[in-house]
Amino acid sequence: MSESHPAIPIAKPDLYEEEAEAARSVILSGWVTQGPEVAAFETEFAAVVGSPYACAVSSGTTALHLALLAVGVRPGDEVVTVSHSFIATANVVRYCGATPVFVDIDPATFNLDPHLLSRALSRRTQAILCVHQMGMPCDLAAILDVARAHGIAVIEDAACATGSGVLGGDGQIEPIGRPHADVACFSFHPRKAITTGDGGMLTTRERGFDEQFRRWRQHGMSVADTVRHASSQVIFESYPQLGYNYRLTDIQAAVGRIQLKRLEDLVRRRRRLADRYSEVLSEIPGLVLPVEPSWARSNWQSYCVRLPAELDQRTVMQHMLDSGVSTRRGVMCAHREPAYADVPVRQPLPHSEAAQDHCILLPIYAQMTEKNQDAVVGALRSACEKVSKA
Ligand SMILES: *Cc1c(COP(=O)(O)O)cnc(C)c1O
């Protein structure tokens, strides 16, 4: 292939004229940082996921940091989570001065295995940080059972899971973010289902948490700058506590509001593509396809397949790239990174490591055509054949 970019990328954001127009209006309005667009985005996001509160922040990572602080994670504490996730999941635990305690995943769903949870808990455990990896909901019911029995808070890393859901008792789909645990944290990075460039959201039922998020994201200030700006009285703000600058801008929020309107359609397209992958890929011998539990509704942020054990991951990926198809290796493991060399691993993590080493993520994005998808399947099939003959 002579082009410098692969013909089929791993992902593609769904941003169009309407988003550009929304950003343009804000730029020309005279108020560009956190203001009325952020407030409207929060109200609309809360309505879509069915949460009483939603607070917008600058990224999924900053959302996770504030969620852990809100449930009282402090230096010396432990937070039980997975190593098999984007590194931000583990990093935010360390921002709080706490130690991540890693639990292995269920190889079928790539999510925290609830059976391994209780043995990871200690007197120091302050929270469980579970991940809806690649948009697939983790087994919250089982995780919450263990957490409640021990009086431990649960934070959902829902960075990938905007538009995912779980089946409720009444047979209805309950969106991730309701939230099912104490706080759910979303990301609007371009690799996720909807994007604002960068951005994040926290949803919770606890009014006190929501008020705290709003102070923390704005330097710990006693009064929001929109309030000061609109006041006919002179207001002197104060800084009663340490805060951060974790604001989303109104430019981003205006884009997010348009993206949110597209969400249902984008997820429907992704689900159709995932179904079709599962159908056509079943013909490739030895390939293990991702599993959606009967109670889960994934937004299919990523579609992750496990290669036959004897096939080298990098070689398969290179063959695919040579034929114009971009892929990624399985989700990383934080405990294998140099930045984690001094964080002890207390439980063996064989399924996490195997998923990183033997899985590849295939391109999936809402604009993908059946022809694109057939090209991916063809490239994967011939790569597997070539590598197994070599
Ligand atoms: C993307 C991602 C994050 C970080 O979100 P940002 O918005 O990029 O900060 C955290 N956790 C998981 C599982 C993610 O996929």
Side-chain angles (χ1 to χ4, degrees):
M1 267 247 138
S2 54
E3 298 117 277
S4 55
H5 295 294
I8 303 182
I10 183 78
K12 222 183 223 182
D14 289 276
L15 294 167
Y16 305 99
E17 276 301 328
E18 217 186 327
E19 281 84 353
E21 191 47 53
R24 178 186 155 83
S25 305
V26 173
I27 287 166
L28 298 175
S29 74
W31 189 282
V32 287
T33 191
Q34 180 183 290
E37 290 292 328
V38 166
F41 185 34
E42 291 169 341
T43 304
E44 289 159 10
F45 192 91
V48 165
V49 302
S51 171
Y53 302 104
C55 178
V57 287
S58 54
S59 71
T61 305
T62 55
L64 289 165
H65 184 199
L66 297 188
L68 291 181
L69 288 177
V71 300
V73 177
R74 296 292 179 267
D77 290 342
E78 292 175 359
V79 173
V80 176
T81 188
V82 285
S83 171
H84 178 268
S85 185
F86 182 57
I87 198 158
T89 308
N91 281 352
V92 293
V93 175
R94 297 173 72 194
Y95 294 175
C96 300
T99 303
V101 174
F102 296 129
V103 173
D104 208 7
I105 55 163
D106 174 343
T109 61
F110 303 100
N111 276 323
L112 187 149
D113 182 346
H115 299 104
L116 304 173
L117 203 47
S118 2
R119 76 187 76 154
L121 304 179
S122 81
R123 278 182 305 108
R124 296 184 166 200
T125 311
Q126 187 66 25
I128 295 166
L129 174 53
C130 58
V131 182
H132 303 301
Q133 192 55 258
M134 299 182 270
M136 185 65 72
C138 64
D139 191 351
L140 275 168
I143 293 167
L144 286 168
D145 274 351
V146 176
R148 290 193 175 128
H150 293 84
I152 293 169
V154 178
I155 306 297
E156 296 170 62
D157 180 341
C160 300
T162 307
S164 298
V166 290
L167 214 55
D170 54 1
Q172 298 289 316
I173 304 290
E174 295 180 1
I176 294 295
R178 190 145 287 209
H180 295 87
D182 294 278
V183 185
C185 304
F186 297 87
S187 165
F188 307 126
H189 181 273
R191 272 294 296 280
K192 320 296 181 180
I194 59 172
T195 185
T196 58
D198 262 309
M201 191 74 78
L202 293 133
T203 63
T204 182
R205 284 177 210 287
E206 290 281 333
R207 184 180 181 158
F209 286 169
D210 185 68
E211 289 170 349
Q212 184 62 76
F213 298 149
R214 288 166 194 283
R215 286 190 296 268
W216 272 328
R217 73 176 169 180
Q218 174 128 328
H219 306 286
M221 230 166 113
S222 59
V223 47
D225 54 5
T226 41
V227 172
R228 189 175 50 178
H229 181 75
S231 175
S232 56
Q233 305 289 311
V234 171
I235 297 179
F236 288 174
E237 81 285 9
S238 69
Y239 300 87
Q241 56 181 172
L242 179 69
Y244 307 87
N245 177 357
Y246 282 177
R247 286 180 305 233
L248 192 73
T249 69
D250 260 22
I251 305 171
Q252 293 167 305
V255 172
R257 293 180 68 193
I258 310 291
Q259 289 275 286
L260 201 54
K261 283 197 266 174
R262 300 192 195 281
L263 178 65
E264 202 181 316
D265 178 54
L266 295 178
V267 171
R268 188 170 39 238
R269 287 165 186 265
R270 285 175 170 278
R271 289 188 59 81
R272 202 183 299 142
L273 288 163
D275 280 349
R276 192 161 177 276
Y277 261 146
S278 298
E279 205 180 292
V280 286
L281 290 173
S282 61
E283 290 157 21
I284 299 183
L287 199 68
V288 181
L289 304 180
V291 175
E292 182 177 70
S294 59
W295 45 264
R297 289 295 176 278
S298 181
N299 66 2
W300 293 103
Q301 182 263 337
S302 288
Y303 190 91
C304 181
V305 298
R306 190 178 301 261
L307 297 173
E310 68 278 10
L311 298 193
D312 179 65
Q313 179 193 48
R314 184 187 288 265
T315 317
V316 170
M317 291 172 68
Q318 187 63 55
H319 276 299
M320 292 183 74
L321 189 59
D322 292 345
S323 50
V325 176
S326 183
T327 60
R328 295 287 180 274
R329 67 173 174 173
V331 171
M332 62 173 297
C333 291
H335 75 278
R336 291 167 130 183
E337 291 300 319
Y340 278 75
D342 57 347
V343 174
V345 173
R346 299 200 196 146
Q347 291 184 15
L349 304 167
H351 295 305
S352 300
E353 295 183 357
Q356 179 180 7
D357 295 343
H358 299 294
C359 291
I360 61 174
L361 310 190
L362 301 181
I364 188 165
Y365 45 88
Q367 304 158 59
M368 189 176 213
T369 62
E370 292 198 354
K371 200 163 152 251
N372 295 150
Q373 200 174 25
D374 291 340
V376 175
V377 174
L380 177 58
R381 182 184 287 119
S382 72
C384 288
E385 283 166 7
K386 272 188 212 150
V387 178
S388 57
K389 280 198 199 98

